[in-house]
mmCIF file of all heavy atoms in Angstrom:
data_model
loop_
_atom_site.group_PDB
_atom_site.id
_atom_site.type_symbol
_atom_site.label_atom_id
_atom_site.label_comp_id
_atom_site.label_asym_id
_atom_site.label_seq_id
_atom_site.Cartn_x
_atom_site.Cartn_y
_atom_site.Cartn_z
ATOM 1 N N ASP Q 61 100.473 119.231 127.432
ATOM 2 C CA ASP Q 61 101.107 118.080 128.065
ATOM 3 C C ASP Q 61 100.274 116.812 127.903
ATOM 4 O O ASP Q 61 100.808 115.701 127.929
ATOM 5 C CB ASP Q 61 101.301 118.345 129.562
ATOM 6 C CG ASP Q 61 102.195 119.537 129.825
ATOM 7 O OD1 ASP Q 61 103.357 119.504 129.389
ATOM 8 O OD2 ASP Q 61 101.732 120.519 130.439
ATOM 9 N N LEU Q 62 98.964 116.992 127.802
ATOM 10 C CA LEU Q 62 98.038 115.882 127.616
ATOM 11 C C LEU Q 62 97.038 116.283 126.536
ATOM 12 O O LEU Q 62 96.778 117.471 126.329
ATOM 13 C CB LEU Q 62 97.242 115.566 128.891
ATOM 14 C CG LEU Q 62 97.944 115.318 130.214
ATOM 15 C CD1 LEU Q 62 98.125 116.625 130.977
ATOM 16 C CD2 LEU Q 62 97.108 114.356 131.061
ATOM 17 N N VAL Q 63 96.465 115.282 125.902
ATOM 18 C CA VAL Q 63 95.369 115.545 124.970
ATOM 19 C C VAL Q 63 94.227 114.601 125.327
ATOM 20 O O VAL Q 63 94.424 113.408 125.511
ATOM 21 C CB VAL Q 63 95.811 115.384 123.503
ATOM 22 C CG1 VAL Q 63 96.308 113.976 123.221
ATOM 23 C CG2 VAL Q 63 94.697 115.771 122.548
ATOM 24 N N ASP Q 64 93.030 115.166 125.484
ATOM 25 C CA ASP Q 64 91.860 114.428 125.958
ATOM 26 C C ASP Q 64 90.938 114.135 124.780
ATOM 27 O O ASP Q 64 90.428 115.048 124.130
ATOM 28 C CB ASP Q 64 91.128 115.280 127.009
ATOM 29 C CG ASP Q 64 90.109 114.487 127.804
ATOM 30 O OD1 ASP Q 64 90.405 113.345 128.175
ATOM 31 O OD2 ASP Q 64 89.027 115.034 128.082
ATOM 32 N N ILE Q 65 90.725 112.850 124.507
ATOM 33 C CA ILE Q 65 89.938 112.416 123.355
ATOM 34 C C ILE Q 65 88.554 112.006 123.832
ATOM 35 O O ILE Q 65 88.415 111.151 124.711
ATOM 36 C CB ILE Q 65 90.595 111.214 122.649
ATOM 37 C CG1 ILE Q 65 92.071 111.497 122.363
ATOM 38 C CG2 ILE Q 65 89.835 110.864 121.379
ATOM 39 C CD1 ILE Q 65 92.320 112.710 121.516
ATOM 40 N N GLY Q 66 87.517 112.591 123.243
ATOM 41 C CA GLY Q 66 86.148 112.252 123.606
ATOM 42 C C GLY Q 66 85.354 111.762 122.417
ATOM 43 O O GLY Q 66 85.458 112.315 121.324
ATOM 44 N N GLY Q 67 84.549 110.718 122.624
ATOM 45 C CA GLY Q 67 83.716 110.195 121.563
ATOM 46 C C GLY Q 67 82.233 110.374 121.795
ATOM 47 O O GLY Q 67 81.422 110.151 120.890
ATOM 48 N N VAL Q 68 81.865 110.792 123.022
ATOM 49 C CA VAL Q 68 80.459 110.991 123.367
ATOM 50 C C VAL Q 68 80.356 112.231 124.252
ATOM 51 O O VAL Q 68 81.009 112.288 125.302
ATOM 52 C CB VAL Q 68 79.882 109.779 124.126
ATOM 53 C CG1 VAL Q 68 78.416 110.026 124.485
ATOM 54 C CG2 VAL Q 68 80.014 108.508 123.307
ATOM 55 N N PRO Q 69 79.562 113.235 123.891
ATOM 56 C CA PRO Q 69 79.387 114.392 124.766
ATOM 57 C C PRO Q 69 78.749 113.984 126.096
ATOM 58 O O PRO Q 69 78.013 112.999 126.171
ATOM 59 C CB PRO Q 69 78.451 115.301 123.968
ATOM 60 C CG PRO Q 69 78.581 114.854 122.555
ATOM 61 C CD PRO Q 69 78.838 113.389 122.617
ATOM 62 N N PHE Q 70 79.023 114.751 127.144
ATOM 63 C CA PHE Q 70 78.463 114.449 128.459
ATOM 64 C C PHE Q 70 76.960 114.681 128.498
ATOM 65 O O PHE Q 70 76.205 113.899 129.066
ATOM 66 C CB PHE Q 70 79.141 115.317 129.532
ATOM 67 C CG PHE Q 70 78.536 115.147 130.912
ATOM 68 C CD1 PHE Q 70 78.945 114.119 131.737
ATOM 69 C CD2 PHE Q 70 77.555 116.021 131.383
ATOM 70 C CE1 PHE Q 70 78.395 113.953 133.006
ATOM 71 C CE2 PHE Q 70 76.993 115.870 132.637
ATOM 72 C CZ PHE Q 70 77.423 114.829 133.452
ATOM 73 N N GLY Q 71 76.501 115.782 127.906
ATOM 74 C CA GLY Q 71 75.108 116.193 128.039
ATOM 75 C C GLY Q 71 74.168 115.483 127.085
ATOM 76 O O GLY Q 71 74.513 114.493 126.444
ATOM 77 N N ARG Q 72 72.967 116.011 127.008
ATOM 78 C CA ARG Q 72 71.939 115.411 126.160
ATOM 79 C C ARG Q 72 72.387 115.344 124.710
ATOM 80 O O ARG Q 72 73.156 116.168 124.239
ATOM 81 C CB ARG Q 72 70.658 116.234 126.223
ATOM 82 C CG ARG Q 72 70.002 116.322 127.587
ATOM 83 C CD ARG Q 72 68.652 117.006 127.444
ATOM 84 N NE ARG Q 72 68.093 117.378 128.720
ATOM 85 C CZ ARG Q 72 68.212 118.573 129.281
ATOM 86 N NH1 ARG Q 72 68.900 119.512 128.662
ATOM 87 N NH2 ARG Q 72 67.655 118.840 130.443
ATOM 88 N N GLY Q 73 71.832 114.363 123.998
ATOM 89 C CA GLY Q 73 72.136 114.240 122.583
ATOM 90 C C GLY Q 73 71.712 112.893 122.057
ATOM 91 O O GLY Q 73 71.212 112.052 122.801
#
Side-chain angles (χ1 to χ4, degrees):
D61 299 300
L62 307 90
V63 60
D64 194 41
I65 310 302
V68 179
F70 175 85
R72 298 188 192 95

